Amino acid sequence: MSQITPATAFTQPTTATISARIRAQRKARSLTLQDIERLSNGRIKAVVMGSYERGSRAISLARTIEIANLFTIPLSELIEESKNPERGSNDQLIFDLRKLREISLAVTGNEISKINAFVSAICARRRDWNGEILTLRSGDLDTLTLVLSAPRAAVQELLERFQLVIKVPEI
């Protein structure tokens, strides 16, 4: 009978990886340490948050939950490894979620509401709580063409017309 050792079954997060995820979540929202203190009504001091991010101060589970709630993300986003295996593929569109929210408030159209529902479903499925941008993969764009009952070129034109796609210069 063979035994599975914990090291081969799964990998636990380290305090360093949790600290890095906390910092990444704050930076992704363009928040300063002082913003965290203000948003938490002084419960999380700026200097303490910086210590958590550097890993120079131990963080309790209760405080980690409080930080996850502050960022409005599931706790698992701070303690589990990201599951984005297709990052870096050349066939991607970077979708501007801020622009979509802005347009959704101003434009009442069936296409926009379908795009909004589709993108929300992808964010939930990928557990992507950043809320700023979303990378649409080639397969996602193909699915969007089915949702909108439109050819790929028409969907791309619609996304560009509403400036929902962020252009990234080639490197």
Side-chain angles (χ1 to χ4, degrees):
M1 181 158 94
S2 67
Q3 287 186 320
I4 297 176
T5 62
T8 59
F10 58 89
T11 304
Q12 292 286 10
T14 64
T15 53
T17 59
I18 293 171
S19 296
R21 289 179 191 133
I22 289 171
R23 180 180 176 88
Q25 288 289 337
R26 178 179 62 81
K27 292 281 197 179
R29 289 162 177 74
S30 300
L31 295 172
T32 65
L33 294 172
Q34 289 74 26
D35 292 334
I36 296 297
E37 185 169 338
R38 184 180 46 76
L39 290 171
S40 70
N41 295 319
R43 288 187 314 277
I44 304 172
K45 300 292 183 206
V47 67
V48 172
M49 184 69 165
S51 296
Y52 292 150
E53 291 181 4
R54 287 187 304 279
S56 61
R57 184 179 187 132
I59 186 168
S60 69
L61 178 59
R63 184 50 64 97
T64 307
I65 292 169
E66 186 176 0
I67 291 170
N69 287 336
L70 185 71
F71 292 144
T72 64
I73 59 172
L75 175 62
S76 60
E77 292 299 308
L78 296 178
I79 60 175
E80 290 180 359
E81 189 173 333
S82 175
K83 296 173 178 127
N84 267 342
E86 292 186 38
R87 266 209 161 98
S89 168
N90 290 334
D91 200 10
Q92 300 175 334
L93 290 175
I94 300 175
F95 206 87
D96 188 339
L97 298 176
R98 297 164 294 202
K99 187 74 168 177
L100 179 60
R101 280 192 297 274
E102 181 183 303
I103 290 171
S104 295
L105 295 173
V107 176
T108 55
N110 196 27
E111 292 172 326
I112 295 300
S113 64
K114 284 181 180 179
I115 292 171
N116 200 16
F118 177 75
V119 167
S120 295
I122 290 176
C123 288
R125 186 169 199 197
R126 291 185 191 168
R127 299 170 54 189
D128 184 346
W129 309 107
N130 180 341
E132 301 293 318
I133 62 169
L134 176 72
T135 301
L136 285 182
R137 302 164 187 155
S138 180
D140 298 330
L141 188 57
D142 291 338
T143 304
L144 186 56
T145 64
L146 295 172
V147 168
L148 295 174
S149 301
R152 187 179 183 111
V155 170
Q156 287 178 311
E157 187 276 324
L158 175 72
L159 297 177
E160 288 175 14
R161 181 169 25 112
F162 284 109
Q163 298 176 335
L164 294 174
V165 178
I166 298 171
K167 303 285 185 188
V168 180
E170 296 283 332
I171 298 176

